[in-house]
Amino acid sequence: MTYIIQTNHLTKNYAGKTVVSNVNLHVKKGEIYGFLGPNGAGKTTIMRMIMNLIKPTSGEVVIFDEKVTLSSYEILKRMGSIIEYPIFYDKLTAIENLELHCEYMGYYNKTAIKSALDLVKLNDYEGKAVKDFSLGMKQRLGVARAIVTKPEILILDEPINGLDPEGIKEFRNLFQVLSKDYGMTLLISSHILGEIEQIANTIGVIKNGKLIEEVSMEKIRLQNTEYIELKTNDVKKAAFEINENLSISNFKLLDDSTIRIYDLEKPPGEISKRLVLSGVLVESINKKDNTLEDYFLNMINGGITHD
Amino acid sequence: MIKLINLEIRKFKLMNYWKGVLGANLGFILFISIVYFLNKVEEEIPFDNFEMATTIIGAVVSATFIIFASVILAKLVIDEYKNKSIDLMFTYPISRKKIMTAKLIIVIVFTFTTVLFSTLFLQGLVYIMDVTFDILPGDLTIQDFIQSVWKSFFIALAAAGLSLIPLLFGMLRKSSSATIVSSIFLVTLTSSVSNNFTFFSVMTVSFLLALLGIIIGWLSIRNVEQTDL
């Protein structure tokens, strides 16, 4: 199989309003797929359709090369999920919740519960009723529940909500471990780019129910290398200086006052010093390194559509 | 299916309800004794005969446990929808129909057994009291008692069906209070009918309503796969 999860022209209408429109998602086996979009863009709705909680108005979801239908129950055995926010039986303890989960999933491995609680660092709280848990702890327990049966696919809707910075870092590592060591395929949604860009292999950007981009992180990184942007009154002379005296050849004249230098070996300070010494007036010099964020912000706000 | 039922019982700690059932039965004994002694004090005949006693017992017991069952129904079905924990249940590799069936079976079996055994218990108590202390006018034969056993069976059967009717009102707005309130209305309705009619006509009405309850249960099982969450 090429894709472990695939949606074809997936569309969902609620009361005549299109919430998800013609989405073609492609998740490769073993990768971490980051699902990025502002709140209310339709991420949760798509994830609910993938988990077969709601039915598409049109289009289809294909998981493990199998079209998902009303009675696709067997594939759920191989999937773990948190949709929206983790829900528990509050009066039961953490461990009772996980035990029930394993029973329903048909997974019988006594040590699995302990090791799942270990992975999310909740083993001190296993005997505590979930109603006394903080949001962050519930989020941890939710992840523990999703992974306890070692599913092949993990669907996590905003898993970092409610976590402290320390927890976010731990989760980032945990997701990497699950992907690399356990070979799980992760579909993680978020509205915060920073969370996603560090772990995802592929990013799908969704806006107003439409998938506006699906691209591998590797490709984005190649496209969006860092550069130094230089503004001056005399580009020709500056270009000459940069080429000859600084021996930088990887640069571009953007217009008649701007130069972009892609070779970052020489720090901006040195470049401006050289130029000033040779009599070129430097109006500004900046190192651009938040280009990835710009890339996505442009996409979400500018709306480059791909359909 | 047995496993699903067991898991539901474990999940909601339903076994703790035995205290409630026991308490209800003690309440019934108290209620019957009060009725008996108050009438005795005023020098009236408390129960005309054994049949009247069993009819009153049947009405009170089924009313109580239908309301009791609506509390369980609210917990098992309505609250799961309201708290969205049903989302979790439906991500399990188990047919939604089976999950729903397991829940409704619990409600039906609970109502049937509690009504049957409580009426049998109370009728037995009245029978023994009559045999020892002759509390009722006239003679009481074992045949009368056997007949009342049959009656209890039908009362329990009708109550079991009736216990599903509140599901309709509860699911409309996903409200557990609507579930319980509708069950109270239901028992008021059925017991007010039973004042002046024969056992047979009361049972006809009850069985028609029970049938309605079964249809409501069947529809909610049938639709559970199609409905979006």
Side-chain angles (χ1 to χ4, degrees):
Chain A
M1 81 186 91
T2 26
Y3 298 110
I4 197 162
I5 304 172
Q6 192 175 348
T7 70
N8 299 324
H9 307 290
L10 195 64
T11 300
K12 181 73 187 177
N13 299 335
Y14 273 121
K17 216 180 133 219
T18 306
V19 188
V20 171
S21 162
N22 205 20
V23 167
N24 297 305
L25 213 65
H26 305 87
V27 182
K28 283 185 224 129
K29 191 170 163 34
E31 75 171 344
I32 299 181
Y33 189 105
F35 203 18
L36 187 68
N39 289 326
K43 301 186 296 282
T44 300
T45 309
I46 291 172
M47 287 179 142
R48 289 173 82 87
M49 283 193 273
I50 290 172
M51 286 309 289
N52 209 7
L53 286 171
I54 53 175
K55 319 299 173 230
T57 309
S58 64
E60 58 174 17
V61 177
V62 180
I63 299 175
F64 303 120
D65 278 336
E66 201 182 299
K67 185 182 187 294
V68 174
T69 63
L70 278 184
S71 54
S72 299
Y73 293 113
E74 274 308 303
I75 54 168
L76 293 173
K77 218 173 207 155
R78 302 157 69 185
M79 299 168 78
S81 63
I82 304 180
I83 305 281
E84 278 184 293
Y85 50 89
I87 298 153
F88 300 94
Y89 295 102
D90 280 4
K91 285 178 190 155
L92 303 181
T93 64
I95 210 152
E96 281 171 331
N97 267 289
L98 293 190
E99 279 168 357
L100 270 173
H101 176 79
C102 287
E103 292 273 0
Y104 277 116
M105 290 294 278
Y107 186 86
Y108 306 99
N109 182 344
K110 289 274 167 209
T111 56
I113 293 176
K114 290 268 176 214
S115 57
L117 286 172
D118 254 347
L119 275 175
V120 298
K121 302 212 164 75
L122 270 186
N123 25 14
D124 291 344
Y125 303 94
E126 58 175 45
K128 210 171 156 188
V130 177
K131 63 172 187 290
D132 300 327
F133 274 30
S134 69
L135 180 59
M137 284 162 78
K138 282 187 183 174
Q139 205 67 261
R140 283 165 186 269
L141 188 58
V143 170
R145 184 172 60 189
I147 63 176
V148 67
T149 61
K150 309 268 184 331
E152 290 160 65
I153 294 179
L154 202 53
I155 311 250
L156 303 174
D157 192 3
E158 306 267 0
I160 321 240
N161 267 359
L163 286 182
D164 51 31
E166 185 67 22
I168 292 176
K169 212 170 140 195
E170 280 170 30
F171 265 33
R172 213 181 281 143
N173 294 334
L174 177 62
F175 295 153
Q176 302 275 21
V177 166
L178 292 173
S179 162
K180 290 209 179 77
D181 298 353
Y182 293 82
M184 290 183 195
T185 306
L186 280 79
L187 174 59
I188 301 177
S189 81
S190 178
H191 60 279
I192 302 163
L193 172 71
E195 285 180 5
I196 290 290
E197 65 163 339
Q198 297 179 50
I199 51 169
N201 305 109
T202 304
I203 286 193
V205 182
I206 183 164
K207 190 197 171 192
N208 296 334
K210 285 185 179 145
L211 190 70
I212 54 177
E213 179 76 300
E214 188 175 61
V215 63
S216 77
M217 278 305 293
E218 216 169 300
K219 206 171 147 200
I220 301 175
R221 288 210 180 91
L222 282 179
Q223 271 174 15
N224 295 273
T225 42
E226 295 170 58
Y227 57 84
I228 294 167
E229 196 171 84
L230 177 80
K231 280 192 188 300
T232 171
N233 59 342
D234 189 348
V235 273
K236 283 202 185 111
K237 194 167 178 195
F240 176 79
E241 284 297 324
I242 289 165
N243 199 358
E244 292 295 311
N245 293 330
L246 288 162
S247 47
I248 295 170
S249 55
N250 189 3
F251 67 91
K252 199 165 101 183
L253 302 183
L254 216 62
D255 50 49
D256 52 7
S257 68
T258 317
I259 295 176
R260 273 188 190 172
I261 301 166
Y262 296 99
D263 189 337
L264 298 182
E265 230 157 76
K266 298 253 170 20
E270 197 180 317
I271 296 170
S272 72
K273 186 178 159 201
R274 178 76 242 163
L275 291 175
V276 170
L277 282 178
S278 56
V280 178
L281 186 68
V282 177
E283 284 167 11
S284 73
I285 184 161
N286 290 307
K287 194 170 165 192
K288 300 273 186 184
D289 51 5
N290 55 350
T291 53
L292 203 58
E293 204 168 331
D294 289 346
Y295 177 82
F296 286 108
L297 278 178
N298 274 337
M299 201 153 26
I300 289 170
N301 297 328
I304 321 154
T305 35
H306 283 250
D307 56 357
Chain B
M1 187 53 75
I2 304 275
K3 195 189 154 193
L4 284 181
I5 291 172
N6 277 329
L7 286 175
E8 291 286 346
I9 290 172
R10 205 168 119 192
K11 193 163 71 182
F12 293 105
K13 302 194 166 153
L14 294 183
M15 281 306 168
N16 289 347
Y17 280 131
W18 70 267
K19 290 175 214 152
V21 174
L22 198 72
N25 272 298
L26 292 176
F28 296 141
I29 296 175
L30 202 66
F31 170 75
I32 293 170
S33 321
I34 289 171
V35 170
Y36 180 78
F37 285 114
L38 279 184
N39 282 307
K40 248 330 198 231
V41 168
E42 290 176 18
E43 299 193 335
E44 283 174 21
I45 300 166
F47 302 111
D48 294 342
N49 49 36
F50 187 60
E51 201 192 329
M52 187 186 171
T54 55
T55 308
I56 291 173
I57 289 171
V60 173
V61 169
S62 47
T64 308
F65 285 116
I66 286 170
I67 296 171
F68 206 137
S70 78
V71 176
I72 295 180
L73 186 68
K75 204 166 194 173
L76 248 54
V77 183
I78 313 296
D79 282 354
E80 286 243 60
Y81 274 92
K82 206 173 65 188
N83 304 338
K84 293 190 163 189
S85 51
I86 202 77
D87 277 20
L88 174 71
M89 291 303 296
F90 289 170
T91 59
Y92 291 139
I94 299 163
S95 152
R96 291 186 187 186
K97 288 182 179 173
K98 278 190 188 162
I99 291 174
M100 197 50 103
T101 310
K103 288 173 181 291
L104 298 188
I105 284 178
I106 292 174
V107 176
I108 289 177
V109 169
F110 171 83
T111 319
F112 180 78
T113 48
T114 50
V115 171
L116 181 67
F117 287 108
S118 299
T119 48
L120 283 181
F121 167 65
L122 293 168
Q123 285 167 3
L125 214 59
V126 171
Y127 181 76
I128 290 166
M129 293 298 279
D130 187 60
V131 170
T132 26
F133 303 110
D134 194 23
I135 56 170
L136 295 170
D139 276 337
L140 192 53
T141 61
I142 191 77
Q143 265 74 32
D144 291 322
F145 182 70
I146 291 168
Q147 211 186 358
S148 79
V149 172
W150 275 108
K151 229 165 99 178
S152 308
F153 179 77
F154 285 113
I155 290 171
L157 213 59
L162 276 167
S163 67
L164 291 185
I165 292 181
L167 182 63
L168 177 71
F169 301 98
M171 282 301 273
L172 283 180
R173 304 186 65 189
K174 307 275 186 286
S175 144
S176 27
S177 40
T179 316
I180 296 164
V181 169
S182 67
S183 81
I184 294 172
F185 269 113
L186 192 69
V187 295
T188 331
L189 190 80
T190 45
S191 56
S192 67
V193 171
S194 63
N195 275 339
N196 310 311
F197 293 93
T198 61
F199 174 73
F200 182 75
S201 62
V202 172
M203 283 320 278
T204 317
V205 174
S206 297
F207 269 101
L208 283 177
L209 284 171
L211 193 67
L212 180 68
I214 298 295
I215 291 170
I216 289 168
W218 177 74
L219 281 177
S220 49
I221 291 169
R222 200 197 60 172
N223 294 339
V224 71
E225 256 172 16
Q226 271 85 24
T227 321
D228 276 356
L229 290 175

